[in-house]
Amino acid sequence: MKSENTPAPTRVAILGGGFAGLELCKRLNSPDFDVTLVDRQNHHLFQPLLYQVATAGLAAPEIAQPLREIVSDQKNAHVRMAEVSGVDLPNQRVDLADGTAIEYDYLAIALGAKTGYFGNGGWAKHATGLKTLDDAMRIRREVLLAFERAETEPDPGEVKRLMTIVVVGGGPTGVELAGAFAELTRVVFEGDFRRIDPSEAHIILVEAGPRLLDPFPEDLSRYTEERLRKAGVDVRTGVRVEQISDGVVRIGGQDVRAATVIWAAGVEASPVTKSLGVPLDRAGRVIVGADLSLPGYPNVLALGDIAACTDRCGVRVPGLCPAAIQMGQHAAALIKNEVRLKKKGMADKAPLVRKQFAYRDKGIMATIGRSAAVAATGKFKMRGLIAWLAWLFVHLLFLVGFKNKVSVFLQWVYSYVTFKRASRIIMGMSHDDGGALSPPEIR
């Protein structure tokens, strides 16, 4: 039984159950803290493998795990499935869309990022981003339905449109999507259709910059482009997407008719940042100090993709999974240290001992397709099969949950051995009153 003199636990509110928020939550597993983890979804999502769900390589549950299950053994952690409507920093309160509020002593904002269209918000209804499981399932449904429609379509021009996929953005997500779609149409679909030839599908990858994978060394970018072209991808660099409308993409002055358009070109921070009243960068991310705190609010930290951070060494921290995890670790150490000092009656010294965040660069990698990937860390570079095996190992390592690790590994082995993909079921279909199938519209 607690003594009357036992201080109340420190209230920590964590907004977002991504890599940063979940890491912070798990590291505050102590009776000294009362942790509330808030997320609009009920699951933690392993975003690096979303593209495999979108391209029928994995099922949605294999890259996600319920937040309540993850923290079920952490008795001081409470999960709230709710939408954050705003944050009142002066009054230390988080307002939720259901009308309730959460008061805190420390707040960690780790809400992540959403798809950004560079000011062209109207493009969103024509070009699906890839940030959630819903996005991935929608893309997969659109692609599979397009090929089903093409099989029975008598108009050759419409068949060509249905079998055209445009991926906008030549970063890791765009490259991985384009490579996976090329393999899906030219290898996995082989022999499955009778009237159409899936290998004639037109996969277009558009990058406004001069080369793919801009953060990577130039030789790895060249290798990536060569591998994609060899796989049948139409790579277009140095051209911009000028307009996206219903089923038409204007690329460098040329109109391309496509049933599926995927936006992998940009992200922006959660709109919640606009309610904070603190400086934001062009993408809406919170500009934080080197200790990850908000200006004027040392008890409020921004973590992960929502933070625009330069660490104590002057390194611009990238929006990557390892960086988010390191931010969560730093925030946990900072909070625990300050609570410890306060318990010892040294609260006035807490700001003096606050450490600055130091990012440890773990490198970058991207998979291009079967047995091909690129990776770089410092001056060390890899490409081809070795990089691909490293990519597989790293992604299994970071995947949350033993069951998911085993399931994903077995799916990868199955796909590699059989040249097939097990998650090609079309869902989201409805039936009209006459009993006929009513598929979602294929733009």
Side-chain angles (χ1 to χ4, degrees), residues 362-382:
K362 301 290 187 178
I364 49 180
M365 53 176 44
T367 180
I368 306 166
R370 184 183 180 88
S371 302
V374 289
T377 174
K379 295 183 179 180
F380 181 71
K381 298 180 290 187
M382 289 189 297

Side-chain angles (χ1 to χ4, degrees), residues 163-183:
M163 293 172 58
T164 298
I165 302 171
V166 176
V167 180
V168 184
T173 300
V175 164
E176 290 170 347
L177 279 168
F181 279 128
E183 183 177 337

